[in-house]
């Protein structure tokens, strides 16, 4: 049996291109680190990210992040770029469930 659902992982650091194709994010789990900010952009390249293609911002603290996105999820037409920052350290990470893989 084949599935079009898979997971992507992003650790703390600079912007990353997680998938350069049409993608739907259906859930997000984030490790609880102080001052965490996850930005998700609809872009096929890291150089193409900007305020105009920012699709979602998640801010969370040491409690972590668990988000189920109902319906069809968040659609990224061109690709999925993500940035994850935190106020201290570099131990942050998020895992996203996607469809369209």
């Amino acid at each position: 049996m084949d599935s079009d659902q898979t997971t992507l992982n992003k650790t703390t650091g600079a912007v990353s291109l997680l998938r350069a194709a049409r993608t739907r994010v259906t859930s997000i789990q984030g490790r609880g680190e102080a001052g965490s900010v996850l930005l998700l952009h609809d872009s096929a390249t890291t150089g193409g990210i900007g305020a105009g293609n920012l699709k979602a911002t998640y801010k969370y603290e040491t409690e972590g992040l668990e988000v189920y996105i109902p319906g069809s999820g968040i659609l990224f037409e061109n690709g999925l770029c993500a940035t994850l920052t935190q106020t201290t350290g570099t131990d942050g990470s998020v895992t996203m469930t996607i469809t369209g893989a």
Side-chain angles (χ1 to χ4, degrees), residues 5 7 17 32 37 42-44 46 51 58 68 74 77 82 84 87 95:
Q5 190 169 44
T7 58
L17 176 62
V37 179
D42 186 348
S43 178
T46 58
Y58 294 94
Y68 168 73
I74 303 170
E77 290 278 348
L84 177 63
T87 54
T95 300

Side-chain angles (χ1 to χ4, degrees), residues 3-101:
S3 175
D4 68 344
Q5 190 169 44
T6 190
T7 58
L8 300 173
N9 186 266
K10 169 69 178 128
T11 56
T12 303
V15 63
S16 298
L17 176 62
L18 301 180
R19 189 155 193 282
R22 183 182 167 101
T23 304
R24 289 184 186 273
V25 174
T26 56
S27 73
I28 304 169
Q29 292 180 317
R31 178 182 166 137
E33 298 292 338
S36 294
V37 179
L38 173 65
L39 303 176
L40 302 177
H41 292 268
D42 186 348
S43 178
T45 66
T46 58
I49 69 164
N53 59 18
L54 179 63
K55 288 280 198 153
T57 301
Y58 294 94
K59 296 179 180 182
Y60 57 99
E61 296 292 330
T62 55
E63 74 280 359
L65 177 70
E66 268 190 57
V67 177
Y68 168 73
I69 302 152
S72 298
I74 303 170
L75 175 62
F76 296 83
E77 290 278 348
N78 303 299
L80 173 57
C81 287
T83 304
L84 177 63
T85 58
Q86 60 198 59
T87 54
T88 59
T90 59
D91 294 333
S93 70
V94 293
T95 300
M96 291 171 264
T97 305
I98 65 162
T99 59

